[in-house]
Amino acid sequence: MCLLPSLAAAGIVWRGDFETGDRSQFSTTQMVSADRLQLVTSPVAEGKYALKATVKQGDDPINSSGNRNELVYLSREKVGSEYWYRWKVMFANDFPSVDAWQLFTQWHHDGCCGSPPVEFFVKGEVIRLTVNDSGTVWSTPLKRGVWHEFIFHAKWSPDASVGFVELWHNGKQVLNKTKAKTMYAGQNSYLKLGLYRDDSIKPVGVVYHDGFIQATSREDVFPVVQPEPEPVDAGSPVEPDPVVDAGSPVEPDPVVDAGSPVEPDPVVDAGTSPGGTVDAGTGGALPDTAVKPSPLDEGGDDLYRGGCSASGGSLAAFSLLGLLGLMGSRRRRRN
């Protein structure tokens, strides 16, 4: 969550945040010299300027019972009025630690004497809020060197059954609505801001103030909570399509060299012999170049050796075989 100062201004009735760069937002001052109520640019709680209030022993600009340097705003809260206040305070690192009162914010009555009906002060190492007829209604340990934010809600009345106070410190409610006599009868109240302390305190005291506002609305004093922007769901990332491994490129089948075309074997004319023409029908004599059949023996083995010619030799051999078979047949029959 992000906390930002409220920008609403409809209910703000007065600002004492020092952003004018001077003390002109306040009605008057009670100080011994200008350096006791000095505007500074560091430290600041917000904006550009803050007030540095310094008190030294003997600082008594109005001849009172204590030492002080304060700013006065004549707000003059009326009986029955109800306001919200917000301001911030830092105690210097060397702020005195003494068992005596040191006021830093008060709503004082416009009469002459006595303690104010509402006062914020330090005593020892404790910050306290006191309401006149109720005594101390809240306290917390003093922390130096840090900003304390106070949001104070009050209804102003001298009647304890009507008036009330409630308090937030550093964003946390520390005092629930408490009935109290917040005014003196017949008197109005006004704001005083700075440092007012017991005149017995010797060390120098320094307190810083910043960002004071008075408003009629709670919304004007509380920070506006800006919700964090909702994250935009961009959707789940789309996974890319898986890369398909197409594999290694397939090499084409090698081209087989069919070689040179084979010339067909020459056609051999079975009817013509290399040496001349054999006329199987006339039985004429063979020319001298013709292959003559080998003489036959009793076993007839030469018939299976292919020794006859391609023309008449084979036919003559088969004729001879037929003749021999006929003769043998006749011999078997005679036996």
Side-chain angles (χ1 to χ4, degrees):
M1 305 295 284
C2 180
L3 298 180
L4 297 175
S6 173
L7 299 179
I12 295 178
V13 298
W14 177 72
R15 289 183 182 273
D17 57 7
F18 310 106
E19 291 308 297
T20 57
D22 54 28
R23 296 183 293 268
S24 63
Q25 293 169 311
F26 291 80
S27 303
T28 187
T29 63
Q30 294 176 348
M31 61 183 182
V32 295
S33 60
D35 66 329
R36 300 295 204 271
L37 295 175
Q38 181 182 8
L39 267 66
V40 296
T41 56
S42 179
V44 296
E46 58 185 65
K48 294 181 180 180
Y49 300 101
L51 174 72
K52 178 182 179 181
T54 304
V55 173
K56 298 179 180 180
Q57 189 176 34
D59 287 352
D60 187 6
I62 60 172
N63 296 317
S64 66
S65 59
N67 295 157
R68 76 180 74 213
N69 289 293
E70 293 180 290
L71 290 172
V72 177
Y73 176 60
L74 298 175
S75 52
R76 293 189 173 89
E77 281 81 357
K78 304 296 183 181
V79 174
S81 63
E82 183 177 339
Y83 292 106
W84 294 81
Y85 306 88
R86 188 196 74 199
W87 73 107
K88 299 175 183 179
V89 179
M90 178 187 288
F91 301 92
N93 290 327
D94 58 356
F95 187 81
S97 178
V98 293
D99 189 23
W101 51 269
Q102 302 184 80
L103 275 70
F104 57 90
T105 305
Q106 58 175 313
W107 276 263
H108 203 284
H109 54 290
D110 57 8
C112 69
C113 307
S115 297
V118 176
E119 54 188 351
F120 287 82
F121 66 96
V122 174
K123 186 175 183 181
E125 290 296 307
V126 179
I127 301 173
R128 302 173 185 269
L129 166 61
T130 296
V131 181
N132 183 56
D133 67 330
S134 302
T136 299
V137 295
W138 170 77
S139 64
T140 191
L142 171 64
K143 292 183 179 180
R144 298 170 175 80
V146 296
W147 287 101
H148 297 261
E149 181 188 65
F150 298 95
I151 294 177
F152 181 57
H153 181 207
K155 185 166 185 177
W156 301 100
S157 175
D159 184 346
S161 66
V162 176
F164 65 79
V165 294
E166 58 182 334
L167 180 69
W168 286 257
H169 178 241
N170 293 336
K172 180 180 179 181
Q173 186 166 11
V174 293
L175 177 65
N176 293 326
K177 187 177 291 186
T178 302
K179 295 288 187 177
K181 185 187 294 186
T182 54
M183 301 178 73
Y184 292 141
Q187 301 184 50
N188 294 322
S189 297
Y190 62 92
L191 175 69
K192 301 186 77 175
L193 197 71
L195 182 58
Y196 170 44
R197 69 185 194 179
D198 190 296
D199 58 10
S200 67
I201 300 173
K202 295 181 179 180
V204 175
V206 174
V207 180
Y208 298 91
H209 292 263
D210 201 1
F212 200 106
I213 60 173
Q214 176 184 354
T216 58
S217 169
R218 173 191 174 102
E219 290 73 24
D220 289 308
V221 297
F222 277 92
V224 175
V225 178
Q226 300 289 353
E228 295 289 346
E230 293 293 334
V232 177
D233 185 3
S236 302
V238 178
E239 294 292 336
D241 292 334
V243 178
V244 177
D245 184 2
S248 302
V250 179
E251 295 291 336
D253 292 334
V255 178
V256 178
D257 185 3
S260 301
V262 178
E263 293 293 335
D265 294 334
V267 179
V268 179
D269 186 357
T272 305
S273 66
T277 301
V278 178
D279 187 354
T282 60
L286 293 172
D288 293 337
T289 58
V291 179
K292 298 179 180 180
S294 302
L296 298 177
D297 57 15
E298 289 291 330
D301 290 339
D302 286 340
L303 290 174
Y304 300 100
R305 295 177 183 155
C308 56
S309 68
S311 55
S314 298
L315 182 58
F318 281 104
S319 298
L320 181 56
L321 286 173
L323 180 58
L324 293 175
L326 181 57
M327 292 175 63
S329 171
R330 289 178 179 175
R331 289 189 182 110
R332 287 192 294 271
R333 290 175 182 172
R334 286 177 183 169
N335 293 335

